[in-house]
């Protein structure tokens, strides 16, 4: 067979003559201004779809303490050329969560040659691999970003495909202000205090007001600590408080000259993280924590007497050195909600304390919202990205999204995907942390998208959230 016959055979085998003739006929009929742009667009439909060529990675120093993290890069084969399409460095929720570059071999063995445009198929393969959750989510995120880039779509538009293009819903921002907690300074073991604007404000106006509160608290903290302000990983100010009420009083002191009124202009959100100061006992048999033996000290004997008065196996040490049963802690929280303008409690009890959650829900009723990171009964959900992008979106779609807080990781590293997801998913609240670094970038990215994409309906208006419209004289409305 001579060269001419080989060429004819090659053209026929790949249907090049038929495709070109079809395309040229359409070109003449439409006569577009950009002739070659039209030809590229039409012929690209017949090209082999981009495939995953290599998942690589590199270590970098985390912005949080002296911890090394791994970022991954996705390289795809596009039109016979290798092209690095996206990278990802996801956050983590514990300093004990580790990722290793050695995990990439198993990932490449599973994914090389797979279509870069089939997110769910890629994520299904990732789910079956014996690699760390952080590595799965990092690779899944990199492929998702690659998919959007290859299709010349924004992250926002790519996410909208999962929600059938239903449009944006405006969430309410919750911004962390004060951080204490079990590992923090002072005797107060309740984790942190955040603030949330009332429903009468737009996202942008609400965010502007919360930024004003955040900066006022920063100035006061610096004044009290000789011009120093220590930031916790979530972007809130680490302050020594011996009682939870002191966190609230600090914010009130900071804004005393700003004409902002708690309960009207904004509300408090108390993130208890009760699992950090929770213990279990056998009712009536003392109050030793898990793994500890009850001592014969006066303090331990005093606590044992308190324990015997309760049928609950759950104990809470929200004030250092005072381990008390669920009933006492629920009474304390009820009193705090009654006396302060607290609109929500996050993780107020251990997720296994279902009787406690039921009792707390009855006590607080419509006065205060309850949220749990573990999907506990009698509470709404706090959601973080986990496992893979497909898995996370499926989980989120199954929730009552209007009653869900979309939360950033404890240690964020720089991904802004959450901001796009916040508007597309229809979650009622976003809680990214304080206003510093990547966390401030996340809040601002939501604001930027709202300005670019147009006005959005407030999610909570259809959820029964009590609306409090600010007075016209309020400086926030000016």
């Amino acid at each position: 067979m001579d060269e001419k016959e080989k060429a004819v055979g090659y053209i026929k085998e790949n249907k090049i003559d038929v495709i070109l003739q079809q395309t040229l006929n359409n070109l003449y009929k439409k006569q577009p201004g950009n002739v070659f742009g039209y030809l590229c667009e039409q012929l690209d439909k017949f090209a082999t779809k981009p495939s995953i060529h290599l998942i690589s990675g590199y270590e970098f120093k985390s912005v949080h303490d002296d911890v090394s993290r791994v970022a991954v890069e996705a390289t795809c084969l596009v039109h016979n050329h290798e092209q690095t399409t996206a990278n990802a460095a996801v956050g983590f929720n514990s300093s004990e969560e580790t990722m290793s570059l050695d995990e990439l071999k198993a990932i490449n063995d599973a994914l090389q040659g797979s279509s870069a445009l089939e997110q769910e198929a890629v994520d299904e393969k990732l789910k079956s691999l014996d690699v760390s959750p952080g590595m799965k989510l990092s690779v899944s995120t990199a492929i998702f970003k690659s998919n959007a880039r290859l299709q010349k779509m924004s992250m926002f538009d790519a996410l909208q495909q999962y929600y059938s293009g239903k449009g944006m819903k405006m969430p309410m921002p919750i911004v962390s202000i004060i951080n204490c907690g079990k590992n923090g300074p002072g005797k107060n073991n309740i984790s942190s205090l955040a603030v949330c604007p009332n429903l009468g404000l737009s996202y942008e106006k609400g965010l502007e007001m919360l930024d004003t509160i955040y900066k006022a608290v920063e100035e006061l903290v610096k004044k009290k600590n000789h011009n120093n302000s220590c930031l916790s990983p979530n972007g809130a100010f680490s302050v020594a408080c011996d009682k939870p009420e002191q966190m609230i009083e600090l914010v009130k002191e900071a804004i005393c000259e700003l004409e902002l009124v708690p309960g009207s202009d904004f509300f408090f959100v108390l993130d208890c993280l009760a699992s950090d100061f929770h213990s279990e006992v056998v009712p009536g048999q003392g109050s030793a924590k898990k793994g500890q033996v009850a001592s014969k000290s006066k303090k331990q004997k005093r606590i044992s007497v308190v324990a015997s008065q309760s049928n609950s196996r759950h104990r809470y040490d929200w004030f250092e050195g005072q381990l008390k049963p669920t009933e006492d802690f629920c009474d304390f929280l009820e009193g705090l909600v009654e006396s302060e303008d607290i609109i929500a409690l996050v993780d107020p009890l251990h997720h296994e304390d279902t009787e406690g959650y039921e009792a707390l829900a009855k006590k607080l009723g419509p006065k205060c919202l309850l949220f749990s990171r573990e999907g506990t009964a009698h509470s709404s959900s706090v959601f973080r990205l986990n496992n893979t992008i497909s898995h996370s979106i499926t989980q989120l779609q199954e929730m009552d999204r209007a009653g869900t807080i979309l939360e950033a990781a404890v240690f964020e590293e720089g991904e802004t995907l959450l901001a796009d997801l916040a508007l597309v998913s229809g979650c009622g609240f976003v809680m990214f942390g304080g206003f510093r670094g990547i966390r401030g970038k996340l809040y601002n990215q939501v604001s930027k998208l709202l300005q670019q994409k147009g006005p959005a309906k407030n999610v909570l208006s259809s959820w029964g959230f009590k609306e409090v419209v600010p007075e016209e004289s309020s400086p926030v409305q000016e």
Side-chain angles (χ1 to χ4, degrees), residues 408-451:
V410 175
F411 303 96
E412 272 298 331
E413 294 292 358
E415 288 298 330
T416 59
L417 175 67
L418 272 180
D420 299 82
L421 185 60
L423 288 173
V424 173
S425 65
C427 286
F429 304 88
V430 290
M431 187 162 67
F432 298 145
F435 273 121
R436 290 291 178 266
I438 178 57
R439 299 178 185 279
K441 188 177 179 181
L442 283 168
Y443 287 115
N444 290 329
Q445 176 69 4
V446 174
S447 183
K448 177 183 175 182
L449 288 168
L450 281 167
Q451 294 174 47

Side-chain angles (χ1 to χ4, degrees), residues 40-49:
C40 287
E41 188 178 73
Q42 295 303 306
L43 292 175
D44 190 55
K45 295 176 182 178
F46 301 97
T48 301
K49 301 303 178 186

